[in-house]
Amino acid sequence: MISIDNLVVEFSGHTLFSDVSFTINENDKIALMGKNGAGKSTMMKIIAGVQNATRGHVRCPKEAVIAYLPQHLLTEDNTTVFDEASKAFSHVFKLRNEMEDLNKQLETRTDYESDEYMKIIERVSDLGEKYYALEDVNYDAEVEKALKGLGFKQEDFTRQTNEFSGGWRMRIELVKILLQKPDLILLDEPTNHIDIESVIWLEDFLLNKANAVVVISHDRAFIDNITNRTIEVTMGRIYDYKANYSHYLQLREERRAHQIKAFEEQKKFIADNQAFIDRFKGTFSKTNQVNSRERMLEKLEIIEIDDIDTSALKLRFPKTQRSGDYPITVKEISKSYGSHVVFKNASMSISRGEKVCFVGRNGEGKSTMIKAILNEIEVEGECVLGHNVKVGYFAQNQAALLDENLTVFQTVDEIAQGDIRKQLKNILGRFMFKGEAIDKKVGVLSGGEKTRLAMVKLLLEPVNLLILDEPTNHLDLKSKDVLKEALIDFDGTLVLVSHDRDFLQGLSNKVFEFKDQRVIEHFETIDAFLERNRIESIKAMDL
């Protein structure tokens, strides 16, 4: 059991938490929830031991292993993927190597009666007891299964880690954490850079193989599937629910209703007593009663209502002309990079008004197909955009295309047309740009903030074909809901690449699966596709 006792965190006179206490028990699967800026990541860093609290303690058993996967990795190295993942067992290899070294010394030494010789024997005995008590494991096989489970191919194992993007390096770190089988796993946005199949594999591992887990995530399906407890960080304190995320939302509404009722009752109580004080202040016969009520009001702890966004912003894409009957037609296209074949002889046609999604492991060609459709790369075969198609495209690097000299507000103001201009501040607010943030220059924004701003900009453009490549990576749950509602109401054609199953749910009526250099068309929803493939995928990637 890990205990968080009376945690206080203060920054420049601002209190982030005050006297926060809770325990993490064996096999707890906890979702750490709260608004951006509430302090979730700070709390996780303190539990991980990489940041200190102003006051308070994190207490855990001496032998407990806590593993932490941050949102952004800062490390660089020059080793192979397989060797880096094998570092998960470095403590085992260290034991074995030291034993082998000491045994060699015993074979060559002749000072059998010396104290040093006896100390070596004692050390070998101690190490042997620890080493042989370990579970008999084929470490190479465990590393291979974990790497494949999170999307690596056999040929990737011998590649240098510095050849991979940040998202893939994040997976290597995740593999190392999972293989260590720690007492507590701390995960900060672990699904941002992995595909649906890998998310499903990760869920299965955390549910069936991991001990305690604390996770911060904006992936509703992921946290619903793996958690049995939700800790909400809000207004400097926590609320602890023995429930998964969806159930927690219901319980939170009930809690807030009680708060509102108690607040209104207290407000009436204060008003009644203040009225008595105002009426009888200076009246000699009522002096004691007036003083008593004044002291009572001074000591009264005012009930706070949890801050919650109840605005009902409904965003619709601006109207534009209809496209032709088939906005996208792909005929027998193939694409290779050197000897690496991405896909070959792929064909698809997407009708006006269809909403389709591209699924498949990272590297199977989803983004490559999008670039081919948009004529950004050369391919063998034919890709045709239909008559009168106006494309709105959100790429994974969309943030890099923003004008860094404009402010946040200027970025959206210059493209907004009509009545939507009156809602610009509200729209920016729903995507976490509030107050002074709308006057910031784009150049000083973080990568995540730029991505959110690029999404707002796209929502304001009149288009009839939307192509979105991983649009939700930096969106919180409320921002996702705003985007999803707009996409449901969008009367144009939608092509969507996303690993977020909850976001995809109800958005598509056709699935194009990218697998083994092929593109396979499935006339079904994403839910039906994933359900049909779930058991098979988990078995194939079992660890």
Side-chain angles (χ1 to χ4, degrees), residues 1 178 444:
M1 182 173 71
L178 299 181
V444 304

Side-chain angles (χ1 to χ4, degrees), residues 373-515:
I373 291 169
L374 297 174
N375 199 30
E376 291 186 357
I377 58 173
E378 293 185 3
V379 294
E380 296 177 19
E382 185 179 12
C383 292
V384 178
L385 289 178
H387 172 68
N388 203 33
V389 167
K390 295 185 178 179
V391 180
Y393 174 39
F394 184 89
Q396 291 188 44
N397 66 340
Q398 196 68 29
L401 305 178
L402 296 173
D403 186 339
E404 297 199 342
N405 295 314
L406 296 179
T407 67
V408 169
F409 187 81
Q410 288 170 338
T411 299
V412 296
D413 186 54
E414 70 174 11
I415 62 165
Q417 300 175 12
D419 291 342
I420 197 74
R421 295 175 63 85
K422 300 173 185 176
Q423 294 191 66
L424 287 183
K425 288 186 177 179
N426 288 336
I427 293 168
L428 286 169
R430 290 306 295 267
F431 284 85
M432 296 181 282
F433 294 104
K434 297 181 180 180
E436 297 177 357
I438 68 172
D439 296 318
K440 283 184 178 180
K441 292 277 190 179
V442 171
V444 304
L445 299 180
S446 68
E449 288 171 327
K450 288 179 181 177
T451 301
R452 294 200 306 273
L453 182 58
M455 177 56 66
V456 177
K457 185 178 177 182
L458 179 63
L459 286 167
L460 300 173
E461 295 178 358
V463 299
N464 53 33
L465 170 60
L466 268 175
I467 300 177
L468 308 181
D469 192 356
E470 299 290 4
T472 65
N473 275 356
H474 295 282
L475 300 186
D476 70 346
L477 289 164
K478 288 188 177 297
S479 300
K480 285 184 191 180
D481 289 342
V482 172
L483 174 59
K484 184 172 180 176
E485 288 174 11
L487 293 176
I488 289 172
D489 292 337
F490 179 57
D491 58 6
T493 307
L494 173 66
V495 175
L496 182 58
V497 179
S498 176
H499 62 262
D500 189 324
R501 288 156 297 161
D502 182 74
F503 182 75
L504 287 172
Q505 190 175 49
L507 271 180
S508 68
N509 46 29
K510 186 190 289 185
V511 175
F512 288 99
E513 180 185 13
F514 288 70
K515 184 177 182 181

